[in-house]
Structure formats: structure tokens, C-alpha cells
Amino acid sequence: MIENLEVDELVIGAGLCGLMYGLSAVSEGSSVAISEAHHKVGGYATNFYRNKRKFVFDCSQHKVSGLKENVGNLWISLKRLGLQSLLDEFELHEEIGTVVYKNQFIKLPSEPEDIKETLINYFPDEIIGIEKLFHDIESHGYQHYMFFRKLMNEYTINRDILKESRSLSKITAREYFNTLFKGQDIIEVLSPIAIYSGSISNEVNAFYFLHCLYAMFYGGPAFMKGTGQRISDLLLKEFVDRGGILLKKNKVYEMEDIGDHMLVTTRKNIVKTKRVIATCPPEDVVKMLKSDEKSQKFKQVLNNFTVGWGHFCVFVVLSVPPEELGITSPEYLLVSDTGDNFTEDDFEKDRYYDLFTLSVSNYHRVDPEGGYILQFIILDHGDRWFSLSEDQYNQRKEKIQGKLIKRVLNTFPQIEDKLVYTESSTPKTNYKFTLATKGSAFAYKMLPKTNLGLLSNFPNDKVKLVSTWSGGPGYETAMCFGFTQGKLLNMKKTQNT
Ligand SMILES: Cc1cc2nc3c(=O)[nH]c(=O)nc-3n(C[C@H](O)[C@H](O)[C@H](O)COP(=O)(O)OP(=O)(O)OC[C@H]3O[C@@H](n4cnc5c(N)ncnc54)[C@H](O)[C@@H]3O)c2cc1C
């Protein structure tokens, strides 16, 4: 039975962005409902169980940046929402991870000075480039990272470096590295870090990449025990405790502008609302407004963007704790001898899976209670999976799973007879659980000249795109963008009335 509901704001999607928006808006006194298609909240920040709940698999949490006290944007946002108890549950990572390249295991610590020292130790001839890199992270990376605080009028753009920042946004991270370094080896060690933002160094723009490095090196990389689902569940609890309404298993289908309100049709409700906050993909928002001509023109704006990478993941359970097998780092980035410079042909012929950086995440180290879990993750694209028949899909999945396991065994042969359970997911799985376009796990690609600002003016002013699609990917961005927009839009409302 369809139920009617009336609220100030309806948020589409209870991922991290939607939950933080809801929490922020409800804390400003608005009545807010979040409509979520899935049966649980979190979007990518969820988990799932196998073997009668003995194995717990995290769907995405590796590093949550921005949690350094009084420094990280996320720490500041959560503090302002009065979520001290949630902040207390994060633990800072002691190391970023270990890059495995040409038989060397290069462990990257988590403090910027220590990371710099490590790089200088391994690449003494590149000291000038390394110094310049850290200078650029502290200036341009910081400038980009302070975007949210600028929105809140808490940061003034440093105009002295603006021209150079703009130039960096027009080149790729790899082109930028080539201007800094004499050799390729240091580039192949730094490039795989782009995987944390779902990017590839020869695609992502250098200005944005410097932001990611700032967030990770200076902002405080942390994790929460109990998987990303725990963060989502705690945010939900606060949202509901403060009067928010969650509508689960409730996909939003359609929206209609009825003058001073929007009428939104969901699986279970007709919701009358003053404003819709869309955290789902922008192209779905345009489809939902199919009878609104102005909104249809927005398709042209969306043509400026390229849907980002999804991923292929092999979820693995070992028979013994990984540390007994010498797997002690929270994460290994396995880089092939040729680095991440794969060609279109490599991608078409599936050689890509042998070449591109493969991450081996040691979830047991992060959350021992979840079981002896490892996850092998590579960026992948929905285009390769969506058009297949069920048989073709299953065969391909098995083939790629085999390739990735083989690669991991080359580095860690000791785990071969210790694999007790394996299962894989693809970009199609991503789509099934998050409805992200093409199963993208990282929204739009941050290519040179990508300007997400174009997404801030949706033609219908009762609809706002507040999402990683319009703010950039990642836990920290999703949460800070949700928080900031919830605050700004509702403060404006208070000022207007
Ligand atoms: C393997 C992997 C590892 C990652 N690692 C990290 C990491 O270590 N650090 C980091 O910062 N980031 C990481 N990320 C990225 C991060 O998980 C995402 O950027 C972030 O969680 C996105 O949050 P979101 O709220 O914007 O979107 P989503 O999580 O996609 O949430 C959107 C929600 O909207 C719902 N929805 C969509 N359409 C509708 C509709 N029509 N009606 C109702 N509901 C709808 C979906 O069901 C979903 O719950 C990783 C991602 C992956 C896949």
C-alpha cells in the first residue's frame, strides 16, 4: 500500500553522503526523510557475511582520511555534529601500506615526514623532485583539500598559487611526475597510491591527485573496527535519534515539480517535499524528472563527465591468521615491472589484469574479529561485464578471479594451501547493491579539466545534487560534502524565513 508523507527534505540514498546530509539537516531543525533502495544503509560502506556470520567482508573501507584531531576536515565535521563517540571509534593507521615493486617491499609509513624520508632512502637521486612533491602537496594539495572549508567561508583561496593550481588541473598526475623525476621507478611507486581515489595516474588530474595525497598523508588516515558498515550504522542511529526518518527498501522512481513542492514517487510512498537531495547518480535524477523539460537539458552538462572505475574484488578466507604467513602490512600494492602504464589493447585483451596495480588488503589486521580475511582488488569497468549472458558472466568472473589469485601467489606463495574460501564481485555486483551507473565505485573520473562545479546548478532549484558524483569520491569527501551542504542549505533556509 502506498503511504503519503510530507517532509522539508527528501534525501535519495543512505550512503555516507546521504546519511551525513540527513544528520546535518535534521540537526538544523528540518524534517528529513532518507529513501534508500537497499535493505541496509551505507551504500559502498556496507559489509556482508558468509559461513553463519563467521566471515565478515567489508565492501570498501581501506582508509578513511581526514581524522587527525583539529586538522582533518572529517574530524572537524564529525566534531561539529557532536559525534565525539563516533570519533572515539576510529584508529589512525600506523602505515599507509607496502608497495611491492621489482621484488622490493617498500613500506610507506603514515606521517608525511616519515614518508618523505622513506622515499629519499629508496631514491636518493630524486631528492629534489621529492622535496618539490611535498611542497606541492602542502600548497596545491592543501588548497584543493580546503574546498569544503571554503564553502563554509572558513578558507580564503591562496591567489598566489592559483594560476599554478589551474595548470596542474590540466595535466595528468603521471605527466606531472615526469616533470619532477629523472627515472620511472619512483613514479611507479607513487602512482599506485591513486587507486585509493579510484584513479589511475595517467588519467587523474595532478591537482586532484595532490589533494588525495594531502588527505592521506596529512589529514590522518584511519579505520574503524567492525567494517564500513559500523560507520554507516552509527550515523543512522544518530540521524534517527535526532528525529530523521529512514525509508528502507524504498527505491525512488519518479519526481514531479508541483510548484512550491516536489512530489516524489518511491516504491512504498508518495512524498511531498520542499527539496530533494539526490545522492544517487545525476543521470538517474534526470530520468526521474522525465516530465520536466528544463531538467532534460541537463543531459548535455552530464556529457562533460566520464563515469569512473568500478572494481573487481576477490574475497578470501585463510585457514590461519595472515601474520602467521608473514602478511603483516594492512595493505600491499602489487605493481608489475612495467608499472601502471597499460595500453588500450592490454585492457581489451585482459592482459590488464596481469599488469595493473593489484591491492591485497589485510582485513584481519584491521578487524581481527571478522575472520582471517584478505581481499584482492583491482579497478575494473562496467562496460566489460554488463552485456554478458549469465554463463559468459560466470565464466569471465572465474577467469579473472583465477588471474588475480595467481598474481597474489607469485608474491605470497605461502598462502596457496591456506585458501579455505573465495568469492568475487564485479562492477555488476556494485550496480546491484548501489545502483551506481555502470557499477562505478568512484563516481566520475577526475580527468584533466573536469569541473564538478558544473553540477552545482541543477535546472530545477528544488533539486540538489549532493553526492560523490558532484563533490568527488571517497569516504571523507562523501561525508564532508553531505555535512557541509546540509548545513549551508538549511542555514540559508533559516536566513530566508
Ligand atoms: C572496493 C572499494 C574500496 C574503497 N575504498 C575506499 C577507501 O579506502 N577510502 C575512501 O575514502 N573511499 C573508498 N572507496 C570509495 C567510497 O566507498 C565511496 O566513494 C563512498 O562510500 C560513496 O558514498 P556515497 O554516499 O556518495 O555513495 P554510495 O555509497 O554509492 O551510496 C548511494 C546510495 O544511494 C542509494 N540509491 C541509489 N539510487 C537510489 C534510488 N533511486 N532510490 C533510493 N536509493 C538509491 C544506493 O542504494 C546507495 O545506498 C572505496 C570504494 C570501493 C568500491
Side-chain angles (χ1 to χ4, degrees):
M1 196 183 78
I2 295 282
E3 279 181 43
N4 291 335
L5 181 72
E6 188 168 345
V7 281
D8 291 335
E9 304 209 295
L10 178 80
V11 181
I12 306 176
L16 293 176
C17 190
L19 287 167
M20 278 295 272
Y21 183 94
L23 194 44
S24 182
V26 94
S27 305
E28 293 291 322
S30 297
S31 61
V32 185
I34 306 181
S35 195
E36 166 56 49
H38 200 24
H39 70 84
K40 57 169 148 179
V41 299
Y44 279 109
T46 40
N47 63 10
F48 65 95
Y49 302 99
R50 290 290 184 264
N51 195 12
K52 298 185 182 148
R53 298 192 154 229
K54 280 195 198 128
F55 310 150
V56 187
F57 295 114
D58 195 317
C59 297
S60 69
Q61 185 192 214
H62 288 228
K63 281 160 197 63
V64 189
S65 57
L67 283 155
K68 198 170 271 180
E69 199 169 331
N70 288 319
V71 174
N73 282 340
L74 183 54
W75 191 93
I76 291 167
S77 303
L78 294 172
K79 181 83 182 164
R80 285 179 181 174
L81 279 171
L83 299 177
Q84 186 62 46
S85 56
L86 193 140
L87 278 170
D88 291 343
E89 298 215 18
F90 284 101
E91 287 183 33
L92 290 175
H93 272 287
E94 291 154 27
E95 60 183 279
I96 300 239
T98 300
V99 178
V100 184
Y101 176 60
K102 293 190 176 167
N103 298 322
Q104 281 187 305
F105 284 63
I106 303 174
K107 181 171 149 182
L108 296 176
S110 60
E111 287 298 322
E113 280 309 312
D114 300 336
I115 302 170
K116 194 200 272 187
E117 197 182 312
T118 304
L119 290 172
I120 293 171
N121 281 342
Y122 276 95
F123 304 101
D125 292 349
E126 302 282 8
I127 186 161
I128 295 171
I130 294 169
E131 293 289 356
K132 168 84 171 112
L133 171 68
F134 278 79
H135 173 267
D136 288 350
I137 297 172
E138 285 175 16
S139 50
H140 301 290
Y142 175 69
Q143 172 116 299
H144 197 299
Y145 182 74
M146 291 305 276
F147 168 72
F148 298 117
R149 307 283 287 284
K150 184 182 148 283
L151 288 179
M152 306 276 275
N153 273 334
E154 293 171 356
Y155 175 74
T156 311
I157 293 279
N158 176 356
R159 301 214 162 261
D160 296 342
I161 60 166
L162 197 56
K163 200 167 158 218
E164 206 185 328
S165 293
R166 287 207 178 111
S167 305
L168 287 165
S169 72
K170 291 178 188 153
I171 58 170
T172 65
R174 186 169 283 269
E175 284 164 342
Y176 162 71
F177 284 149
N178 279 326
T179 66
L180 294 186
F181 302 118
K182 295 182 261 178
Q184 284 301 300
D185 285 346
I186 186 167
I187 298 180
E188 301 311 346
V189 169
L190 287 168
S191 287
I193 298 176
I195 199 176
Y196 294 123
S197 56
S199 332
I200 299 183
S201 67
N202 48 17
E203 286 187 348
V204 64
N205 83 63
F207 186 32
Y208 176 71
F209 189 56
L210 288 167
H211 155 124
C212 298
L213 293 182
Y214 183 87
M216 187 141 20
F217 294 178
Y218 293 77
F223 64 92
M224 186 181 273
K225 280 193 181 151
T227 74
Q229 184 75 58
R230 180 143 176 79
I231 308 173
S232 308
D233 290 344
L234 289 170
L235 291 177
L236 173 66
K237 182 177 179 312
E238 284 293 334
F239 171 67
V240 173
D241 285 354
R242 294 181 194 193
I245 302 166
L246 175 72
L247 310 166
K248 279 198 282 193
K249 287 196 192 169
N250 201 32
K251 185 173 174 181
V252 172
Y253 295 136
E254 246 177 62
M255 296 189 256
E256 194 189 342
D257 190 337
I258 52 163
D260 57 346
H261 280 80
M262 296 296 293
L263 211 54
V264 183
T265 308
T266 72
R267 185 169 161 254
K268 298 182 201 162
N269 304 86
I270 303 280
V271 184
K272 191 176 168 197
T273 183
K274 290 180 197 149
R275 185 157 54 212
V276 174
I277 302 299
T279 76
C280 57
E283 63 174 67
D284 290 353
V285 180
V286 173
K287 282 183 204 149
M288 287 169 191
L289 279 156
K290 59 177 183 280
S291 54
D292 183 27
E293 257 175 55
K294 268 190 300 177
S295 302
Q296 297 314 301
K297 294 203 179 120
F298 204 63
K299 281 181 193 160
Q300 283 155 15
V301 175
L302 298 184
N303 287 339
N304 288 296
F305 300 94
T306 307
V307 173
W309 290 88
H311 73 298
F312 188 100
C313 179
V314 188
F315 300 92
V316 171
V317 183
L318 301 177
S319 56
V320 294
E323 62 270 20
E324 267 185 31
L325 303 170
I327 298 176
T328 51
S329 180
E331 181 133 42
Y332 297 85
L333 295 170
L334 310 188
V335 181
S336 65
D337 287 356
T338 50
D340 280 349
N341 243 338
F342 65 90
T343 63
E344 195 67 26
D345 198 46
D346 293 329
F347 192 61
E348 289 310 316
K349 306 240 168 72
D350 285 348
R351 280 192 302 270
Y352 163 83
Y353 297 96
D354 306 317
L355 297 175
F356 189 67
T357 293
L358 175 62
S359 125
V360 177
S361 305
N362 179 358
Y363 276 94
H364 181 65
R365 161 101 188 249
V366 172
D367 187 13
E369 284 171 22
Y372 305 147
I373 311 282
L374 298 181
Q375 287 176 206
F376 312 154
I377 297 169
I378 194 164
L379 298 182
D380 202 343
H381 219 285
D383 290 345
R384 310 298 305 275
W385 296 93
F386 279 66
S387 59
L388 303 178
S389 68
E390 200 179 330
D391 274 356
Q392 287 169 330
Y393 176 81
N394 289 332
Q395 277 169 22
R396 182 168 169 75
K397 205 165 144 180
E398 207 168 307
K399 171 182 155 186
I400 305 304
Q401 172 175 305
K403 268 179 176 282
L404 300 191
I405 292 177
K406 192 169 156 209
R407 258 184 92 179
V408 175
L409 291 180
N410 277 339
T411 306
F412 300 109
Q414 65 273 35
I415 69 171
E416 182 156 19
D417 58 350
K418 304 286 188 296
L419 302 176
V420 292
Y421 182 84
T422 52
E423 174 178 342
S424 296
S425 71
T426 74
K428 199 170 171 185
T429 323
N430 290 355
Y431 178 78
K432 184 172 165 195
F433 292 106
T434 64
L435 301 174
T437 312
K438 295 185 181 180
S440 166
F442 302 94
Y444 290 126
K445 286 188 184 177
M446 296 299 286
L447 304 174
K449 299 184 192 160
T450 294
N451 175 11
L452 294 181
L454 295 175
L455 298 171
S456 58
N457 285 321
F458 195 76
N460 184 321
D461 64 4
K462 290 188 283 300
V463 177
K464 301 282 175 207
L465 306 182
V466 181
S467 61
T468 40
W469 299 90
S470 55
Y475 274 41
E476 184 180 11
T477 307
M479 288 196 262
C480 288
F481 201 39
F483 165 73
T484 309
Q485 294 297 324
K487 187 116 191 123
L488 289 174
L489 287 169
N490 289 282
M491 262 166 33
K492 272 186 201 150
K493 192 185 76 177
T494 319
Q495 282 160 6
N496 290 342
T497 49

